[in-house]
Amino acid sequence: MNGATTTRWVVVGVDGSDSSRHALEWSAQQAMLRGLGVSVVAAARPLATEGFGVWPTVEHPADEAEGAGARRLLDHAHDWVSRLFPELAVRTRLSFDRPAQALVAEASEPGVAAVVVGSRGLSGIAAAFVGSVGIELAARAPVPVIVLPRAHAAAHGVRSRVIVGVDGSEPSRRALEFAFDQAEFADTDLVAVSAWQPLVAFAAATGPIPPELFDDATAAEAARQALDEELMDLRLVRPNVRVHTRVVRAHPVVALLEEATPADLIVVGSRGRGGFRGLLLGSVSHSVLHGARGPVAILR
C-alpha cells in the first residue's frame, strides 16, 4: 500500500531485533495519531533476519540471500503493522547500502516528517554497530531523528511530558520549536531545562570576568532570564502549551536525564556535522542519546 501522493511519512529502520520491533510499533502508533504513513526500511547489509529475532554479528558482502532475507523481514513488518493498524498507509524500502546510509537516503525523500530507530537492542559488537546507526543518522538526517532505547515503555502511572534542553543556540531554538509542536499536539506538559555551571570553571578559557558574575545567585538569575527570553515568542503563538521551566546548576546532560522519566520525550539540538565528523554529534546530544531511558528526538 503506497498511500496517496500527499501522504507524509515517518521512516523507521528495522533489522530483526526486538529494539527495531518496538521502534516500528511506536512509529506506527505515532503515525496513526498524526495522520501520517509509515515507511519501513531494511538494509541487506549485514544480513537482516526473518521475523524479529537476533541480528547476526558478522558482516559480509550483500548477496541474493541477504536481499531475500531483508525482503522477508520487510514483508513480515508490513503484515504486522497492517494487522495492528489496518487503516495506516505502509510502504517498504529495501536497500543494499549501509543501514545508516539507507535511512538517510529515505529521510531525504519529499514528504518525510521524521525518522525513527531503536537503540541498545543487542550486546557486544552488534550493539556498537546499531548504536552507531542512530548516531550517524542523527548527525546527517535532514529531519528530526527519534531514537528509542531497547526497554523503553511508558512509566507506570506517569503522564508523558516533553523535556527540551535550552541553551540559546540555533540548534536549541529548532529543538524548542519542535518540542512546542509535540507538546501542543499531544496536549501534554513541556518542561524547558536550562543548565548552568559556575563561571569560575571557565575563567581561564573566557578571559577576565567581572567579579560580580562569580556569584552563583547572579549566574542563576542570568540563566533564568535568558530562558524566559527564549520561550517568550513561542509562548505567545502557542498559549495552550503548559510550560514549566527548570534552571539547574548542573551539566546539561545531568540536568536533562535527571528531569526526564522513561515516559517522557527528550528533545535536544545537535551541533554535529555531517560525514565522519558528524558521528560525534555534540557532546550533550551524544551523551543524552546513550543515557536516556525513554525516546530522544535530535534536531540537527
Side-chain angles (χ1 to χ4, degrees), residues 63-100:
D63 56 25
E64 292 184 5
E66 292 185 1
R71 182 75 263 170
R72 286 191 293 270
L73 173 61
L74 286 172
D75 290 343
H76 178 83
H78 184 288
D79 292 345
W80 187 64
V81 171
S82 296
R83 287 197 301 270
L84 290 175
F85 305 99
E87 299 179 359
L88 184 66
V90 184
R91 71 184 185 189
T92 59
R93 295 287 190 266
L94 172 63
S95 175
F96 289 92
D97 284 329
R98 294 181 302 106

Side-chain angles (χ1 to χ4, degrees), residues 169-227:
S169 67
E170 187 58 34
S172 167
R173 292 187 182 101
R174 288 194 294 271
L176 191 57
E177 291 176 4
F178 179 83
F180 263 85
D181 288 341
Q182 300 307 303
E184 183 175 48
F185 181 87
D187 188 25
T188 192
D189 291 357
L190 171 67
V191 181
V193 178
S194 175
W196 64 275
Q197 295 172 282
L199 292 174
V200 175
F202 306 104
T206 59
I209 298 176
E212 62 272 15
L213 293 186
F214 284 92
D215 176 65
D216 283 356
T218 301
E221 181 57 28
R224 181 171 296 282
Q225 289 180 6
L227 178 59

